[in-house]
Amino acid sequence: MAKKRILFVCLGNICRSPLAEGLFVEAVATQGLHARYEADSAGTNRYHTGELPDPRTRQNAESHGLALTHRARTFGRADFDRFNLIVCMDQQNVQNVLALARNADDEAKVHLMRHYDPEPGDGQVPDPYFGGADGFEQVYQILQRATLGLLSRLESDPSLKN
Ligand code: 4NP
């Protein structure tokens, strides 16, 4: 069976989405599911293209034993062809991605990350970029829950459409 390909999307691709990618890959490895999933991340703006994740994101992830090596890249229309599921951190990311959708099939691939969080709060992963260290830890806790929630949804419903 072809691998299911998941793309995590935020604004800069240096804080939230590379951490979501790292946590999802970690959960896939822990559960022995490498053969079934691939993950990547992208941002809807190009300000940080080529950069490693923000030092605060990397430090927080490393404090939880997770090393992040993703290099930021910009979301593009071709990503609709490469990925089965496009999981966005907030509504602005959803709007930016949907603006590039070509048809209803593209649109149906776009989801909000906190849809998979058992504690969904306001439905969005807050942008920690302009805040303090506690914001990065809050994002880590949200994304740890939501990535596990997403993986268990995918495992129980491989045709996941929402
Ligand atoms: P991210 O955070 O979308 O979680 O990667 C941000 C990073 C950079 C900027 C905004 C958000 N920025 O405006 O440069």
Side-chain angles (χ1 to χ4, degrees), residues 56-123:
R56 297 164 295 176
T57 295
R58 278 187 285 147
Q59 187 178 37
N60 174 268
E62 277 162 22
S63 79
H64 293 282
L66 180 65
L68 299 177
T69 57
H70 178 79
R71 293 280 176 174
R73 72 172 183 86
T74 309
F75 180 86
R77 199 164 263 139
D79 286 315
F80 287 113
D81 298 322
R82 294 194 195 110
F83 293 93
N84 303 100
L85 212 58
I86 296 168
V87 185
C88 296
M89 299 300 127
D90 64 31
Q91 281 292 355
Q92 183 192 352
N93 312 144
V94 168
Q95 294 314 316
N96 290 342
V97 166
L98 286 179
L100 294 174
R102 299 156 299 187
N103 51 47
D105 284 346
D106 286 355
E107 289 172 5
K109 293 182 175 183
V110 183
H111 302 273
L112 264 179
M113 187 69 184
R114 291 198 80 177
H115 184 67
Y116 308 106
D117 182 353
E119 301 170 43
D122 70 355

Side-chain angles (χ1 to χ4, degrees), residues 10-18 45 47-48 127-130:
C10 63
L11 184 62
N13 192 210
I14 55 168
C15 296
R16 293 165 291 175
S17 62
N45 76 26
Y47 301 154
H48 298 278
D127 183 349
Y129 188 68
F130 294 106

